[in-house]
Every structure is written in C-alpha cells, then in structure tokens.
C-alpha cells in the first residue's frame, strides 16, 4: 500500500516552486497496516463529539493523506465547536457587554479542531462566523485543491461587517502548528475584526496568491514564529521571468503584534496600514536576494504612523516608509544587507527608502547596522518608486521636523539628518562646509558652531545655509579649528 500511495503523490507533478506534499511517515506507516478498503472513500459522516471538546476531521470522514477533498469533514469538525458555543454553560465570553446590537459572543469552551498531523485538501474556504470565542485550530495542514473556489483557505468573520466598540466580533481564536498551502489557487488566512487571535507558534504558509495573512481591523492579533512565502525559497523569479505578486503579511488596523517571523518570498513582505503595531524580529528576504531586480518589491511597506519596528532585518530588499508613514514611526536595532545583482533601472537599492516631502514629527531611524545608506524619493507612481531622488525645483518644498536618522553604522557611507564636519586652517576668516554627502535631505535647519583658536578670542558666526552648505565667518583672521554640527530636521514641540 505504501508504494502505491507514494506513486500517486508523484503522479501529480508540481511546478518547480511548489514542494511535493507527503503525509508524515508515521501516518503512512499506520495506513500501511490498516484496512486498504477504508482508504477508497471519504465521505463526511456526522458523529457525536468526544468528551473534552477536541475533535479531529478524520472522525467525520476526512482524508489525512491529502488525496480527496476534505472540506466537508473539516467544516463538520468546526461545526462541533460552533455548536459548543451555543451549548456552553459559560454563556457569553467577556467583551461583549458594550455591543448594544442584540449580539453576544458565544464561548466555545476551548474547543479544539485537531488536524492530528494530517494533510487535508480543501476546495473552498473554511469560515469561522462572527460572534464566537475561545477555540483552537491547528496541528496539521490545509492545502488548496486545483479547483479551489474562493479567496482564502481560512477566514474569520466578514470584512467590514463588525461595527461594535473595539471593532472585535471574535475573541481568543488560536492557530498553533498550522501549515497552509495555497498551491497558487488561494491566499492563506483572512482575519477580520478580532481580538486575541494568535497565529503560531509554528506556522508555515506557502504558495499564496494575494496574501499569506491579511488582518483587517480589530486589535491584538499576535503572530509568532511563522514562515511565509509566495513561492518556495529557492524559486528563481528572474530566471523564470516571473514577477512576484503577493503580500505576505498585511496589517490593516491597529495594535497588532508580529514577532520572530520569516518572509522568504513575496512582492511585499510586511504591509502596515495602521497605528500602534509592534513588529519585532521580522526577517524579510527573497529567493536568491533578487528582490530589487523588480521595481515594486518592498520588504517592509509602511503607509501609516505610530508603529514600532525593533530588530527587523531587510535582507536584500527595500523598507519603504511612504507619506503618512513618515510620521511617528520608529525603526531601531535593525539590520540590512545582501542585495545581489543590480536594482531595476531608476529604482532605489536595498535599504530604508523614504517617500514623500513631509517628514515628522516623531520619525526615527536609529541604532541600526546597514550596508547601504537611507534614501529619499519624492513620489510613488503606479506602485513603483520614483525614478529619481528628491529635487526641490521640481518636487516642491521639503518639510522635515522633529525627526532623527542617526547613530547608524553604514558600510557604504552613512546618510542621516545630523552631521558634523571640522576644518583646521591658518589665518582664515571664511570657512565653507559641504554636508551634501552626509545628509539624507538636501537642507539644513539647525547649525551649531564650535571654535578652537590657537590664540586670541575670535568670534565666529554661521551664515544662513544654502541647501546643504554652510559658510562660517570669523571677525578676525584665525588659526585653529572650526567644527560645525548641522541638523536637517527643524525642532518640534512634539519631539525631544
């Protein structure tokens, strides 16, 4: 029996970027010694739930070897937990007292849908309805069939439907040790208007079409130790002339957490369109580190303010902060390196890219290890970064306030908002300083002058800056050293 199963698996050859799927060896061993006739048909058969509110899809006729569509059985397993929400003596789950819309959140009592290490082909989305709480789904694999009908493999709630205080209509739903494979037919998971949902630890989401995980609204989704890829990590997009398409993680809301997670293939690794999100220890790379060969790839793409990025790694891609993303965001303790090949013509190289003419207050890029310097571009057109750096004559006024790009180690030369230059001269009255190769923005808002004179008490004054240049003049010829500190960012009462 085992050789026959393996032959069946090999018969469905996959594209080079799709890994072959195989049930665990321990499971195949049990099947080998079981009744062969039991493998020929899998139809959902309703059975009474076991004590303890733990249910497996196999109890309802699912095929754990991934050969036959198991959507009905998976759905029947989920229905056991949903029914427990109606029967649970616990009644309402905490958090719905302020709804005032006739709905309550039912407590499913910690019900578990245990995939038990199986691999299940499904032909449509698994959907958890609104107003349910306290369950777990995981421990195995869901794989889209070639005939998959729908957008996502798993969906919680309805996008845009939940209109209650805190905008959270599902609470405490957990997805440990879950493998999702869209097989180029489906996206991974859509999470709508929840609070307290946890993805991981131990997730692997592969071959998704548009999104690996899409978080819409709600609060406090926590994603931990998950791997995501639009393709496998060794797929050569350049060699196959295949432009990446998907977004691995999309946060369209506030107060969410993504930690210790890896994105290894996608057009956009981490999209943040909300505030108060905490992104920590996220590593975004791309097969063969060719991300910048495509003009619209972004390892991180931030379009809203008020977020924290701590210890994140841009591995051969671009971390783009655009327009509203240039206000009240902090990127610290990060790392960037390892672009391979030339970037697409007229587009930025790997590293942090700032897009827009209003920066701050509260924008910080500090205490990082970079290979390439921070870049500033004026605009995005059709999703592609502008074809040239900022030019004041054609792009309009530049306003930078209350922001810091400083204290970064940069192998190819640091650019920041702050810079210092010194000159030692003999018997001079005019001293010219050019900061254009040290500043991200071609402007100077603040100048400080320090004088060390060999003799006497000369006075020194800085003339108004011209672009990124400053002239300092002394009242008498002077022998000594003048040091000038400049800052591109104007002071702000909202930032100290």
């Amino acid at each position: 029996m085992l050789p026959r199963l393996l032959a069946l698996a090999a018969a469905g050859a996959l594209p080079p970027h799709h890994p072959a799927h195989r049930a665990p060896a321990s499971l195949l061993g049990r099947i080998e010694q079981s009744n062969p006739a039991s493998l020929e048909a899998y139809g959902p058969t309703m059975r009474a739930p076991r004590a303890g509110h733990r249910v497996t899809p196999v109890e309802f006729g699912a095929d754990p070897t991934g050969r036959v569509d198991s959507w009905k059985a998976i759905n029947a397993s989920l229905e056991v937990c949903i029914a427990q929400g109606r029967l649970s003596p616990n009644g309402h789950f905490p958090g719905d007292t302020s709804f005032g819309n006739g709905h309550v959140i039912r407590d499913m009592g910690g019900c578990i849908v245990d995939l038990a290490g199986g691999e299940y082909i499904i032909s449509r989305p698994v959907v958890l309805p609104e107003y349910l709480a306290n369950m777990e789904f995981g421990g195995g694999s869901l794989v889209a069939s070639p005939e998959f009908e729908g957008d996502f493999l798993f969906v919680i709630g309805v996008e845009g439907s939940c209109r209650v205080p805190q905008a959270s209509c599902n609470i405490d739903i957990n997805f440990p040790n879950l493998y999702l494979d869209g097989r180029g037919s489906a996206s991974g998971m859509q999470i709508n208007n929840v609070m307290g949902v946890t993805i991981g630890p131990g997730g692997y989401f592969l071959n998704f079409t548009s999104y690996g995980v899409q978080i819409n609204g709600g609060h406090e989704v926590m994603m931990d130790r998950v791997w995501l890829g639009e393709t496998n990590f060794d797929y050569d997009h350049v060699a196959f002339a295949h432009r990446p398409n998907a977004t691995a993680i999309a946060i369209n809301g506030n107060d969410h957490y993504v930690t210790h997670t890896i994105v290894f293939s996608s057009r956009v690794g981490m999209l943040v369109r909300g505030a108060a999100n905490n992104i920590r220890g996220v590593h975004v790379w791309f097969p063969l580190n060719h991300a910048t060969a495509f003009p619209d790839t972004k390892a991180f793409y931030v379009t809203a303010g008020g977020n924290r990025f701590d210890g994140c790694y841009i591995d051969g891609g671009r971390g783009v902060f655009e327009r509203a993303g240039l206000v009240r965001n902090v990127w610290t303790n990060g790392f960037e390196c390892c672009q391979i090949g030339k970037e697409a013509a007229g587009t930025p190289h790997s590293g942090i890219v700032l897009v827009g003419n209003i920066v701050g207050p509260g924008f910080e890029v500090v205490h990082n290890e970079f290979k390439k310097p921070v870049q500033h571009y004026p605009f995005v057109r059709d999703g592609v970064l502008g074809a040239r750096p900022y030019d004041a004559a054609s792009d309009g006024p530049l306003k930078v306030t209350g922001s810091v790009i400083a204290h970064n180690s940069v192998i190819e030369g640091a650019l920041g908002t702050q810079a210092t230059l010194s000159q030692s001269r003999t018997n001079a009255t005019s001293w010219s300083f050019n900061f254009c190769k040290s500043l991200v923005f071609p402007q100077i808002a603040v100048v400080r002058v320090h004088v060390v004179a060999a003799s006497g008490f000369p006075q020194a004054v800085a003339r108004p800056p011209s672009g990124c240049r400053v002239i300092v003049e002394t009242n008498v010829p002077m022998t000594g050293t003048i040091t000038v500190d400049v800052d591109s960012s104007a002071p702000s009462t909202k930032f100290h």
Side-chain angles (χ1 to χ4, degrees), residues 448-493:
R448 296 179 179 89
V449 178
H450 311 273
V451 178
V452 177
S455 62
F457 300 91
Q459 297 178 0
V461 63
R463 300 305 180 188
S466 175
C468 45
R469 293 173 171 83
V470 173
I471 292 177
V472 175
E473 295 180 338
T474 58
N475 63 331
V476 296
M478 177 191 126
T479 296
T481 300
I482 289 184
T483 299
V484 177
D485 302 327
V486 299
D487 197 324
S488 291
S489 176
S492 171
T493 59

Side-chain angles (χ1 to χ4, degrees), residues 312-335:
C312 294
Y313 182 3
I314 301 172
D315 194 347
R318 308 176 181 101
V320 179
F321 290 83
E322 181 181 322
R323 296 191 172 92
L326 296 173
V327 178
R328 298 179 58 247
N329 276 319
V330 179
W331 182 285
T332 188
N333 300 320
F335 193 83

Side-chain angles (χ1 to χ4, degrees), residues 23-210:
S26 59
L27 178 60
L28 290 173
R30 294 197 299 273
I31 295 171
E32 175 75 10
Q33 300 179 25
S34 65
N35 177 10
S38 68
L39 299 175
E40 302 306 322
Y42 293 89
T45 303
M46 293 299 297
R47 303 180 184 180
R50 298 184 298 180
H53 312 309
R54 179 187 293 270
V55 61
T56 66
V58 173
E59 295 177 50
F60 297 90
D63 171 13
T65 69
R67 294 187 298 140
V68 178
D69 186 1
S70 294
W71 177 83
K72 289 184 179 180
I74 297 282
N75 197 56
S77 301
L78 187 61
E79 283 292 340
V80 171
C81 292
I82 294 172
Q84 179 60 28
R86 295 189 288 268
L87 300 173
S88 173
N90 297 333
H92 301 189
F93 196 84
D96 63 10
T97 55
S98 61
F99 283 9
N101 63 354
H103 291 285
V104 297
I105 294 182
R106 305 298 305 183
D107 185 353
M108 293 181 282
C111 184
I112 298 172
V113 176
D114 186 356
L115 301 181
E119 181 176 29
Y120 303 95
I121 296 288
I122 59 175
S123 57
R124 63 181 77 176
V126 178
V127 179
L128 180 68
E130 292 179 326
Y131 300 109
L132 292 165
N134 193 13
M135 72 157 288
E136 180 177 300
F137 184 104
S141 306
L142 297 182
V143 181
S145 72
E147 300 79 24
F148 190 87
E149 298 180 4
D151 296 324
F152 291 85
L153 288 165
F154 200 107
V155 177
I156 300 178
V158 180
E159 184 177 1
S161 173
C162 179
R163 302 187 182 279
V164 300
Q166 295 295 325
S168 301
C169 289
N170 292 88
I171 301 175
D172 188 27
I173 313 296
N174 301 298
F175 299 92
N177 300 311
L178 182 63
Y179 179 99
L180 298 180
D181 186 351
R183 284 240 173 153
S185 300
S187 290
M189 181 179 291
Q190 185 185 63
I191 303 174
N192 300 299
N193 304 108
V194 303
M195 183 177 290
V197 165
T198 301
I199 306 171
Y204 202 99
F205 298 173
L206 187 63
N207 300 325
F208 39 84
T209 52
S210 297

Side-chain angles (χ1 to χ4, degrees), residues 233-259:
F233 51 75
D234 59 354
Y235 181 70
D236 191 338
H237 290 77
V238 174
F240 285 99
H242 175 209
R243 294 188 64 162
N245 172 71
T247 297
I249 305 169
I251 299 178
N252 301 312
N254 306 331
D255 305 343
H256 302 294
Y257 292 74
V258 180
T259 62

Side-chain angles (χ1 to χ4, degrees), residues 404-407 414-422 433-441 443-444 446-450 468 470 483-489:
V404 176
I405 302 171
H407 308 298
L415 297 178
T417 54
Q418 302 172 0
T420 298
L421 290 175
S422 293
F433 295 84
N434 184 346
F435 291 92
C436 295
K437 292 183 178 181
S438 302
L439 297 175
V440 176
F441 307 108
Q443 69 173 35
I444 294 172
V446 176
V447 180
R448 296 179 179 89
V449 178
H450 311 273
C468 45
V470 173
T483 299
V484 177
D485 302 327
V486 299
D487 197 324
S488 291
S489 176

Side-chain angles (χ1 to χ4, degrees), residues 364-376:
E364 300 177 67
V365 179
V366 294
H367 302 299
N368 298 281
E369 297 285 337
F370 294 153
K371 181 179 180 182
K372 294 181 178 291
V374 175
Q375 304 158 89
H376 175 226

